[in-house]
Coordinates of all heavy atoms in Angstrom, one line a residue:
C181 N -1.3 -3.2 15.3 CA -1.1 -4.1 14.2 C -0.9 -5.5 14.6 O -0.9 -6.4 13.7 CB 0.2 -3.6 13.4 SG 1.7 -3.6 14.4
G182 N -0.8 -5.8 15.9 CA -0.8 -7.2 16.4 C 0.6 -7.8 16.4 O 0.8 -9.0 16.7
K183 N 1.7 -7.0 16.1 CA 3.0 -7.5 16.1 C 3.6 -7.5 17.5 O 3.2 -6.7 18.4 CB 3.9 -6.8 15.2 CG 4.3 -5.4 15.5 CD 5.2 -4.7 14.5 CE 5.6 -3.3 14.9 NZ 6.5 -2.7 13.9
S184 N 4.5 -8.4 17.8 CA 5.2 -8.4 19.1 C 6.3 -7.3 19.1 O 7.1 -7.2 18.2 CB 5.8 -9.8 19.3 OG 6.6 -9.8 20.5
T185 N 6.4 -6.6 20.2 CA 7.4 -5.6 20.4 C 7.9 -5.5 21.8 O 7.3 -6.2 22.7 CB 6.9 -4.2 19.9 OG1 8.0 -3.3 19.9 CG2 5.8 -3.7 20.7
G186 N 8.8 -4.7 22.1 CA 9.3 -4.6 23.5 C 10.4 -3.6 23.6 O 10.7 -2.8 22.7
R187 N 11.0 -3.5 24.8 CA 12.1 -2.6 25.1 C 12.8 -3.1 26.4 O 12.4 -4.0 27.1 CB 11.5 -1.2 25.3 CG 10.7 -1.1 26.6 CD 10.1 0.3 26.8 NE 9.1 0.3 27.8 CZ 8.0 1.0 27.8 NH1 7.7 1.7 26.7 NH2 7.1 1.0 28.8
I188 N 14.0 -2.5 26.6 CA 14.7 -2.7 27.9 C 14.6 -1.4 28.7 O 14.8 -0.3 28.1 CB 16.1 -3.2 27.7 CG1 16.9 -2.2 26.9 CG2 16.1 -4.5 27.0 CD1 18.4 -2.6 26.7
Q189 N 14.4 -1.5 30.0 CA 14.3 -0.3 30.8 C 15.7 0.4 31.1 O 15.7 1.6 31.4 CB 13.6 -0.6 32.2 CG 12.2 -1.0 32.0 CD 11.5 -1.2 33.4 OE1 12.0 -0.7 34.4 NE2 10.4 -1.9 33.4
H190 N 16.7 -0.4 31.1 CA 18.1 0.1 31.4 C 19.1 -0.1 30.3 O 20.0 -0.8 30.4 CB 18.6 -0.5 32.7 CG 17.8 -0.2 33.9 ND1 17.6 -1.1 34.9 CD2 17.0 0.9 34.2 CE1 16.8 -0.6 35.8 NE2 16.4 0.6 35.4
P191 N 18.9 0.6 29.1 CA 19.8 0.4 28.0 C 21.2 1.0 28.3 O 22.2 0.5 27.7 CB 19.1 1.2 26.9 CG 18.3 2.2 27.6 CD 17.8 1.5 28.8
D192 N 21.3 1.9 29.3 CA 22.6 2.5 29.6 C 23.5 1.4 30.2 O 24.7 1.4 30.0 CB 22.4 3.6 30.6 CG 21.6 3.3 31.8 OD1 20.7 2.4 31.7 OD2 21.8 3.9 32.9
S193 N 22.9 0.5 31.0 CA 23.7 -0.6 31.6 C 24.2 -1.5 30.5 O 25.4 -2.0 30.5 CB 22.8 -1.4 32.5 OG 23.5 -2.5 33.1
L194 N 23.4 -1.8 29.5 CA 23.9 -2.6 28.3 C 25.0 -1.9 27.6 O 26.0 -2.6 27.2 CB 22.7 -2.9 27.4 CG 23.0 -3.6 26.1 CD1 23.6 -5.0 26.4 CD2 21.8 -3.8 25.2
L195 N 24.8 -0.7 27.3 CA 25.9 0.1 26.6 C 27.2 0.1 27.3 O 28.3 0.0 26.7 CB 25.4 1.5 26.3 CG 24.2 1.6 25.3 CD1 23.7 3.0 25.1 CD2 24.5 1.0 23.9
R196 N 27.1 0.3 28.6 CA 28.4 0.3 29.4 C 29.1 -1.1 29.3 O 30.3 -1.2 29.2 CB 28.1 0.6 30.9 CG 27.8 2.1 31.1 CD 27.8 2.4 32.6 NE 26.8 1.7 33.4 CZ 25.5 2.2 33.6 NH1 25.2 3.4 33.1 NH2 24.6 1.6 34.3
A197 N 28.3 -2.2 29.4 CA 28.9 -3.5 29.3 C 29.5 -3.7 27.9 O 30.7 -4.2 27.8 CB 27.8 -4.6 29.6
V198 N 28.8 -3.3 26.9 CA 29.4 -3.5 25.5 C 30.6 -2.6 25.4 O 31.6 -3.1 24.8 CB 28.3 -3.1 24.5 CG1 28.9 -3.0 23.1 CG2 27.2 -4.1 24.5
H199 N 30.6 -1.4 25.8 CA 31.8 -0.5 25.7 C 33.0 -1.1 26.4 O 34.1 -1.1 25.9 CB 31.5 0.9 26.3 CG 32.6 1.8 26.3 ND1 33.1 2.4 25.2 CD2 33.4 2.2 27.3 CE1 34.1 3.1 25.5 NE2 34.4 3.0 26.8

Side-chain angles (χ1 to χ4, degrees):
C181 60
K183 70 179 181 179
S184 175
T185 187
R187 66 180 171 223
I188 59 175
Q189 291 188 19
H190 297 148
D192 54 331
S193 178
L194 174 59
L195 294 176
R196 284 193 295 270
V198 171
H199 176 74

